[in-house]
PDB file of all heavy atoms in Angstrom:
ATOM      1  N   TRP A 792      17.917  -3.753   9.931  1.00 87.00           N
ATOM      2  CA  TRP A 792      16.512  -3.872   9.673  1.00 87.00           C
ATOM      3  C   TRP A 792      16.312  -4.188   8.236  1.00 87.00           C
ATOM      4  O   TRP A 792      15.656  -5.094   7.823  1.00 87.00           O
ATOM      5  CB  TRP A 792      15.944  -2.592   9.978  1.00 87.00           C
ATOM      6  CG  TRP A 792      14.441  -2.494   9.710  1.00 87.00           C
ATOM      7  CD1 TRP A 792      13.873  -2.105   8.532  1.00 87.00           C
ATOM      8  CD2 TRP A 792      13.319  -3.123  10.379  1.00 87.00           C
ATOM      9  NE1 TRP A 792      12.461  -2.299   8.526  1.00 87.00           N
ATOM     10  CE2 TRP A 792      12.114  -2.905   9.767  1.00 87.00           C
ATOM     11  CE3 TRP A 792      13.258  -3.755  11.648  1.00 87.00           C
ATOM     12  CZ2 TRP A 792      10.826  -3.354  10.133  1.00 87.00           C
ATOM     13  CZ3 TRP A 792      12.122  -4.110  12.249  1.00 87.00           C
ATOM     14  CH2 TRP A 792      10.861  -3.935  11.404  1.00 87.00           C
ATOM     15  N   ASP A 793      17.019  -3.513   7.307  1.00 85.00           N
ATOM     16  CA  ASP A 793      16.840  -3.862   5.879  1.00 85.00           C
ATOM     17  C   ASP A 793      17.204  -5.284   5.510  1.00 85.00           C
ATOM     18  O   ASP A 793      16.600  -5.789   4.638  1.00 85.00           O
ATOM     19  CB  ASP A 793      17.601  -2.803   5.030  1.00 85.00           C
ATOM     20  CG  ASP A 793      16.982  -1.424   5.033  1.00 85.00           C
ATOM     21  OD1 ASP A 793      15.751  -1.304   5.400  1.00 85.00           O
ATOM     22  OD2 ASP A 793      17.682  -0.526   4.668  1.00 85.00           O
ATOM     23  N   ILE A 794      18.120  -5.847   6.083  1.00 86.00           N
ATOM     24  CA  ILE A 794      18.685  -7.118   5.816  1.00 86.00           C
ATOM     25  C   ILE A 794      17.894  -8.129   6.536  1.00 86.00           C
ATOM     26  O   ILE A 794      17.667  -9.250   5.995  1.00 86.00           O
ATOM     27  CB  ILE A 794      20.209  -7.217   6.136  1.00 86.00           C
ATOM     28  CG1 ILE A 794      21.030  -6.383   5.253  1.00 86.00           C
ATOM     29  CG2 ILE A 794      20.706  -8.733   6.016  1.00 86.00           C
ATOM     30  CD1 ILE A 794      22.476  -6.254   5.567  1.00 86.00           C
ATOM     31  N   ALA A 795      17.510  -7.985   7.784  1.00 88.00           N
ATOM     32  CA  ALA A 795      16.861  -9.111   8.596  1.00 88.00           C
ATOM     33  C   ALA A 795      15.481  -9.085   8.652  1.00 88.00           C
ATOM     34  O   ALA A 795      14.790  -9.993   9.143  1.00 88.00           O
ATOM     35  CB  ALA A 795      17.533  -8.911  10.061  1.00 88.00           C
ATOM     36  N   ALA A 796      14.750  -7.802   8.354  1.00 90.00           N
ATOM     37  CA  ALA A 796      13.277  -7.887   8.440  1.00 90.00           C
ATOM     38  C   ALA A 796      12.660  -8.641   7.271  1.00 90.00           C
ATOM     39  O   ALA A 796      12.832  -8.277   6.209  1.00 90.00           O
ATOM     40  CB  ALA A 796      12.775  -6.470   8.433  1.00 90.00           C
ATOM     41  N   PHE A 797      11.934  -9.678   7.624  1.00 92.00           N
ATOM     42  CA  PHE A 797      11.332 -10.559   6.611  1.00 92.00           C
ATOM     43  C   PHE A 797      10.214  -9.796   5.895  1.00 92.00           C
ATOM     44  O   PHE A 797       9.173  -9.265   6.504  1.00 92.00           O
ATOM     45  CB  PHE A 797      10.772 -11.812   7.183  1.00 92.00           C
ATOM     46  CG  PHE A 797      10.258 -12.824   6.303  1.00 92.00           C
ATOM     47  CD1 PHE A 797      11.135 -13.839   5.760  1.00 92.00           C
ATOM     48  CD2 PHE A 797       8.983 -12.831   5.912  1.00 92.00           C
ATOM     49  CE1 PHE A 797      10.722 -14.673   4.866  1.00 92.00           C
ATOM     50  CE2 PHE A 797       8.531 -13.757   5.035  1.00 92.00           C
ATOM     51  CZ  PHE A 797       9.407 -14.664   4.431  1.00 92.00           C
ATOM     52  N   MET A 798      10.309  -9.755   4.520  1.00 90.00           N
ATOM     53  CA  MET A 798       9.278  -9.067   3.819  1.00 90.00           C
ATOM     54  C   MET A 798       8.367 -10.233   3.288  1.00 90.00           C
ATOM     55  O   MET A 798       8.722 -11.206   2.736  1.00 90.00           O
ATOM     56  CB  MET A 798       9.859  -8.436   2.527  1.00 90.00           C
ATOM     57  CG  MET A 798       8.848  -7.667   1.715  1.00 90.00           C
ATOM     58  SD  MET A 798       9.583  -6.808   0.343  1.00 90.00           S
ATOM     59  CE  MET A 798      10.424  -5.495   1.117  1.00 90.00           C
ATOM     60  N   THR A 799       6.928  -9.819   3.573  1.00 90.00           N
ATOM     61  CA  THR A 799       5.939 -10.794   3.125  1.00 90.00           C
ATOM     62  C   THR A 799       5.545 -10.499   1.653  1.00 90.00           C
ATOM     63  O   THR A 799       6.012  -9.475   1.061  1.00 90.00           O
ATOM     64  CB  THR A 799       4.698 -10.618   4.045  1.00 90.00           C
ATOM     65  OG1 THR A 799       4.025  -9.435   3.746  1.00 90.00           O
ATOM     66  CG2 THR A 799       4.996 -10.739   5.523  1.00 90.00           C
ATOM     67  N   GLN A 800       4.678 -11.251   1.140  1.00 88.00           N
ATOM     68  CA  GLN A 800       4.191 -11.024  -0.231  1.00 88.00           C
ATOM     69  C   GLN A 800       2.794 -10.187  -0.062  1.00 88.00           C
ATOM     70  O   GLN A 800       2.129  -9.782  -0.939  1.00 88.00           O
ATOM     71  CB  GLN A 800       3.716 -12.364  -0.913  1.00 88.00           C
ATOM     72  CG  GLN A 800       4.913 -13.177  -1.189  1.00 88.00           C
ATOM     73  CD  GLN A 800       5.853 -12.448  -2.081  1.00 88.00           C
ATOM     74  OE1 GLN A 800       5.558 -11.723  -3.209  1.00 88.00           O
ATOM     75  NE2 GLN A 800       7.167 -12.413  -1.905  1.00 88.00           N
ATOM     76  N   GLU A 801       2.562  -9.825   1.218  1.00 91.00           N
ATOM     77  CA  GLU A 801       1.361  -9.062   1.502  1.00 91.00           C
ATOM     78  C   GLU A 801       1.517  -7.598   1.260  1.00 91.00           C
ATOM     79  O   GLU A 801       2.375  -6.981   1.882  1.00 91.00           O
ATOM     80  CB  GLU A 801       0.897  -9.268   2.996  1.00 91.00           C
ATOM     81  CG  GLU A 801      -0.375  -8.724   3.388  1.00 91.00           C
ATOM     82  CD  GLU A 801      -0.768  -9.213   4.769  1.00 91.00           C
ATOM     83  OE1 GLU A 801      -0.184 -10.106   5.379  1.00 91.00           O
ATOM     84  OE2 GLU A 801      -1.644  -8.486   5.364  1.00 91.00           O
ATOM     85  N   VAL A 802       0.710  -6.898   0.412  1.00 93.00           N
ATOM     86  CA  VAL A 802       0.907  -5.528   0.100  1.00 93.00           C
ATOM     87  C   VAL A 802       0.209  -4.704   1.145  1.00 93.00           C
ATOM     88  O   VAL A 802      -0.754  -5.100   1.773  1.00 93.00           O
ATOM     89  CB  VAL A 802       0.149  -5.236  -1.367  1.00 93.00           C
ATOM     90  CG1 VAL A 802       0.219  -3.727  -1.543  1.00 93.00           C
ATOM     91  CG2 VAL A 802       0.927  -5.995  -2.378  1.00 93.00           C
ATOM     92  N   CYS A 803       0.835  -3.631   1.490  1.00 95.00           N
ATOM     93  CA  CYS A 803       0.413  -2.707   2.584  1.00 95.00           C
ATOM     94  C   CYS A 803      -1.168  -2.385   2.313  1.00 95.00           C
ATOM     95  O   CYS A 803      -1.430  -1.723   1.222  1.00 95.00           O
ATOM     96  CB  CYS A 803       1.245  -1.596   2.625  1.00 95.00           C
ATOM     97  SG  CYS A 803       0.489  -0.305   3.802  1.00 95.00           S
ATOM     98  N   PRO A 804      -2.132  -2.528   3.285  1.00 94.00           N
ATOM     99  CA  PRO A 804      -3.402  -2.143   3.093  1.00 94.00           C
ATOM    100  C   PRO A 804      -3.706  -0.580   3.077  1.00 94.00           C
ATOM    101  O   PRO A 804      -4.722  -0.202   2.683  1.00 94.00           O
ATOM    102  CB  PRO A 804      -4.071  -2.779   4.209  1.00 94.00           C
ATOM    103  CG  PRO A 804      -3.098  -3.002   5.284  1.00 94.00           C
ATOM    104  CD  PRO A 804      -1.830  -3.245   4.584  1.00 94.00           C
ATOM    105  N   SER A 805      -2.610   0.078   3.540  1.00 94.00           N
ATOM    106  CA  SER A 805      -2.800   1.566   3.654  1.00 94.00           C
ATOM    107  C   SER A 805      -2.220   2.294   2.384  1.00 94.00           C
ATOM    108  O   SER A 805      -3.089   2.965   1.770  1.00 94.00           O
ATOM    109  CB  SER A 805      -2.110   2.156   4.819  1.00 94.00           C
ATOM    110  OG  SER A 805      -2.136   3.387   4.887  1.00 94.00           O
ATOM    111  N   CYS A 806      -1.038   1.933   2.103  1.00 95.00           N
ATOM    112  CA  CYS A 806      -0.528   2.643   0.804  1.00 95.00           C
ATOM    113  C   CYS A 806      -0.407   1.902  -0.402  1.00 95.00           C
ATOM    114  O   CYS A 806      -0.117   2.435  -1.498  1.00 95.00           O
ATOM    115  CB  CYS A 806       0.867   3.257   1.246  1.00 95.00           C
ATOM    116  SG  CYS A 806       2.139   2.066   1.364  1.00 95.00           S
ATOM    117  N   GLN A 807      -0.602   0.534  -0.381  1.00 94.00           N
ATOM    118  CA  GLN A 807      -0.572  -0.331  -1.482  1.00 94.00           C
ATOM    119  C   GLN A 807       0.906  -0.166  -2.141  1.00 94.00           C
ATOM    120  O   GLN A 807       1.040  -0.615  -3.366  1.00 94.00           O
ATOM    121  CB  GLN A 807      -1.702  -0.112  -2.473  1.00 94.00           C
ATOM    122  CG  GLN A 807      -2.930  -0.794  -2.266  1.00 94.00           C
ATOM    123  CD  GLN A 807      -3.708  -0.181  -1.173  1.00 94.00           C
ATOM    124  OE1 GLN A 807      -4.050   0.918  -1.212  1.00 94.00           O
ATOM    125  NE2 GLN A 807      -4.001  -0.887  -0.142  1.00 94.00           N
ATOM    126  N   ASP A 808       1.827   0.398  -1.571  1.00 84.00           N
ATOM    127  CA  ASP A 808       3.041   0.631  -2.176  1.00 84.00           C
ATOM    128  C   ASP A 808       4.189  -0.343  -1.823  1.00 84.00           C
ATOM    129  O   ASP A 808       5.145  -0.595  -2.546  1.00 84.00           O
ATOM    130  CB  ASP A 808       3.534   2.155  -1.970  1.00 84.00           C
ATOM    131  CG  ASP A 808       4.763   2.524  -2.754  1.00 84.00           C
ATOM    132  OD1 ASP A 808       4.751   2.185  -4.072  1.00 84.00           O
ATOM    133  OD2 ASP A 808       5.658   3.061  -2.244  1.00 84.00           O
ATOM    134  N   GLU A 809       4.036  -0.878  -0.656  1.00 81.00           N
ATOM    135  CA  GLU A 809       5.222  -1.661  -0.050  1.00 81.00           C
ATOM    136  C   GLU A 809       4.638  -3.090   0.335  1.00 81.00           C
ATOM    137  O   GLU A 809       3.390  -3.086   0.766  1.00 81.00           O
ATOM    138  CB  GLU A 809       5.873  -1.063   1.085  1.00 81.00           C
ATOM    139  CG  GLU A 809       6.690   0.247   0.698  1.00 81.00           C
ATOM    140  CD  GLU A 809       8.007  -0.017   0.107  1.00 81.00           C
ATOM    141  OE1 GLU A 809       8.543  -1.122   0.477  1.00 81.00           O
ATOM    142  OE2 GLU A 809       8.576   0.788  -0.602  1.00 81.00           O
ATOM    143  N   ASN A 810       5.438  -4.051   0.321  1.00 88.00           N
ATOM    144  CA  ASN A 810       5.056  -5.247   1.069  1.00 88.00           C
ATOM    145  C   ASN A 810       5.321  -5.135   2.541  1.00 88.00           C
ATOM    146  O   ASN A 810       6.280  -4.454   2.912  1.00 88.00           O
ATOM    147  CB  ASN A 810       5.898  -6.478   0.482  1.00 88.00           C
ATOM    148  CG  ASN A 810       5.364  -6.826  -0.973  1.00 88.00           C
ATOM    149  OD1 ASN A 810       4.575  -6.018  -1.600  1.00 88.00           O
ATOM    150  ND2 ASN A 810       5.810  -7.816  -1.480  1.00 88.00           N
ATOM    151  N   LEU A 811       4.473  -5.798   3.317  1.00 93.00           N
ATOM    152  CA  LEU A 811       4.578  -5.618   4.689  1.00 93.00           C
ATOM    153  C   LEU A 811       5.884  -6.482   5.169  1.00 93.00           C
ATOM    154  O   LEU A 811       6.156  -7.542   4.630  1.00 93.00           O
ATOM    155  CB  LEU A 811       3.310  -6.138   5.467  1.00 93.00           C
ATOM    156  CG  LEU A 811       2.125  -5.385   5.221  1.00 93.00           C
ATOM    157  CD1 LEU A 811       0.884  -6.017   5.891  1.00 93.00           C
ATOM    158  CD2 LEU A 811       2.279  -3.914   5.717  1.00 93.00           C
ATOM    159  N   LYS A 812       6.472  -5.966   6.270  1.00 93.00           N
ATOM    160  CA  LYS A 812       7.618  -6.712   6.942  1.00 93.00           C
ATOM    161  C   LYS A 812       7.045  -7.286   8.191  1.00 93.00           C
ATOM    162  O   LYS A 812       6.092  -6.661   8.887  1.00 93.00           O
ATOM    163  CB  LYS A 812       8.756  -5.789   7.085  1.00 93.00           C
ATOM    164  CG  LYS A 812       9.513  -5.522   5.809  1.00 93.00           C
ATOM    165  CD  LYS A 812      10.749  -4.811   5.916  1.00 93.00           C
ATOM    166  CE  LYS A 812      11.407  -4.533   4.475  1.00 93.00           C
ATOM    167  NZ  LYS A 812      12.706  -3.780   4.731  1.00 93.00           N
ATOM    168  N   ILE A 813       7.690  -8.158   8.700  1.00 95.00           N
ATOM    169  CA  ILE A 813       7.305  -8.867  10.075  1.00 95.00           C
ATOM    170  C   ILE A 813       8.287  -8.410  11.097  1.00 95.00           C
ATOM    171  O   ILE A 813       9.549  -8.574  10.893  1.00 95.00           O
ATOM    172  CB  ILE A 813       7.188 -10.374   9.985  1.00 95.00           C
ATOM    173  CG1 ILE A 813       6.136 -10.734   8.905  1.00 95.00           C
ATOM    174  CG2 ILE A 813       6.823 -10.896  11.336  1.00 95.00           C
ATOM    175  CD1 ILE A 813       6.125 -12.207   8.659  1.00 95.00           C
ATOM    176  N   ALA A 814       7.810  -7.809  12.094  1.00 95.00           N
ATOM    177  CA  ALA A 814       8.613  -7.324  13.181  1.00 95.00           C
ATOM    178  C   ALA A 814       8.177  -7.847  14.495  1.00 95.00           C
ATOM    179  O   ALA A 814       7.111  -8.593  14.680  1.00 95.00           O
ATOM    180  CB  ALA A 814       8.587  -5.743  13.217  1.00 95.00           C
ATOM    181  N   SER A 815       9.010  -7.609  15.613  1.00 95.00           N
ATOM    182  CA  SER A 815       8.747  -8.125  16.869  1.00 95.00           C
ATOM    183  C   SER A 815       8.912  -7.099  17.970  1.00 95.00           C
ATOM    184  O   SER A 815       9.753  -6.148  17.676  1.00 95.00           O
ATOM    185  CB  SER A 815       9.664  -9.280  17.120  1.00 95.00           C
ATOM    186  OG  SER A 815       9.655  -9.758  18.477  1.00 95.00           O
ATOM    187  N   SER A 816       8.245  -7.207  19.082  1.00 94.00           N
ATOM    188  CA  SER A 816       8.519  -6.368  20.222  1.00 94.00           C
ATOM    189  C   SER A 816       9.843  -6.860  20.767  1.00 94.00           C
ATOM    190  O   SER A 816      10.261  -8.068  20.427  1.00 94.00           O
ATOM    191  CB  SER A 816       7.590  -6.565  21.266  1.00 94.00           C
ATOM    192  OG  SER A 816       7.207  -7.962  21.644  1.00 94.00           O
ATOM    193  N   ILE A 817      10.688  -6.089  21.395  1.00 89.00           N
ATOM    194  CA  ILE A 817      11.971  -6.444  21.966  1.00 89.00           C
ATOM    195  C   ILE A 817      11.838  -7.645  22.793  1.00 89.00           C
ATOM    196  O   ILE A 817      12.762  -8.409  22.819  1.00 89.00           O
ATOM    197  CB  ILE A 817      12.602  -5.269  22.583  1.00 89.00           C
ATOM    198  CG1 ILE A 817      13.011  -4.273  21.515  1.00 89.00           C
ATOM    199  CG2 ILE A 817      13.839  -5.678  23.328  1.00 89.00           C
ATOM    200  CD1 ILE A 817      13.863  -3.249  21.772  1.00 89.00           C
ATOM    201  N   ASP A 818      10.737  -7.843  23.635  1.00 91.00           N
ATOM    202  CA  ASP A 818      10.703  -8.950  24.521  1.00 91.00           C
ATOM    203  C   ASP A 818      10.023 -10.121  23.814  1.00 91.00           C
ATOM    204  O   ASP A 818       9.982 -11.182  24.455  1.00 91.00           O
ATOM    205  CB  ASP A 818       9.868  -8.632  25.717  1.00 91.00           C
ATOM    206  CG  ASP A 818       8.374  -8.209  25.449  1.00 91.00           C
ATOM    207  OD1 ASP A 818       8.053  -8.328  24.259  1.00 91.00           O
ATOM    208  OD2 ASP A 818       7.683  -7.879  26.328  1.00 91.00           O
ATOM    209  N   LYS A 819       9.838 -10.086  22.424  1.00 92.00           N
ATOM    210  CA  LYS A 819       9.415 -11.098  21.600  1.00 92.00           C
ATOM    211  C   LYS A 819       8.049 -11.669  21.951  1.00 92.00           C
ATOM    212  O   LYS A 819       7.604 -12.672  21.651  1.00 92.00           O
ATOM    213  CB  LYS A 819      10.469 -12.325  21.562  1.00 92.00           C
ATOM    214  CG  LYS A 819      11.761 -11.920  21.054  1.00 92.00           C
ATOM    215  CD  LYS A 819      12.725 -12.937  21.078  1.00 92.00           C
ATOM    216  CE  LYS A 819      14.164 -12.400  20.662  1.00 92.00           C
ATOM    217  NZ  LYS A 819      15.256 -13.302  20.809  1.00 92.00           N
ATOM    218  N   THR A 820       7.239 -10.886  22.719  1.00 95.00           N
ATOM    219  CA  THR A 820       5.862 -11.269  22.992  1.00 95.00           C
ATOM    220  C   THR A 820       4.836 -10.903  21.914  1.00 95.00           C
ATOM    221  O   THR A 820       3.871 -11.447  22.007  1.00 95.00           O
ATOM    222  CB  THR A 820       5.459 -10.685  24.346  1.00 95.00           C
ATOM    223  OG1 THR A 820       5.407  -9.339  24.292  1.00 95.00           O
ATOM    224  CG2 THR A 820       6.365 -11.283  25.427  1.00 95.00           C
ATOM    225  N   LYS A 821       5.223  -9.970  21.130  1.00 96.00           N
ATOM    226  CA  LYS A 821       4.222  -9.490  20.114  1.00 96.00           C
ATOM    227  C   LYS A 821       4.909  -9.582  18.748  1.00 96.00           C
ATOM    228  O   LYS A 821       6.097  -9.316  18.518  1.00 96.00           O
ATOM    229  CB  LYS A 821       3.787  -8.073  20.415  1.00 96.00           C
ATOM    230  CG  LYS A 821       3.083  -7.945  21.748  1.00 96.00           C
ATOM    231  CD  LYS A 821       2.615  -6.477  21.899  1.00 96.00           C
ATOM    232  CE  LYS A 821       1.967  -6.437  23.223  1.00 96.00           C
ATOM    233  NZ  LYS A 821       2.554  -5.382  24.033  1.00 96.00           N
TER     234      LYS A 821
END
């Protein structure tokens, strides 16, 4: 997860502490 999850430049709207990562459902539909 740490190596493969793509980190965006978008700061978390909740905690403002981390940039958001892009994830997928296992079936890749979401």
Side-chain angles (χ1 to χ4, degrees):
W792 177 264
D793 285 344
I794 292 172
F797 186 89
M798 183 180 288
T799 70
Q800 295 298 314
E801 189 175 340
V802 175
C803 176
S805 179
C806 72
Q807 273 78 53
D808 189 43
E809 293 278 333
N810 290 11
L811 296 175
K812 290 187 175 178
I813 301 176
S815 171
S816 57
I817 292 197
D818 64 4
K819 299 180 185 166
T820 61
K821 296 180 181 127

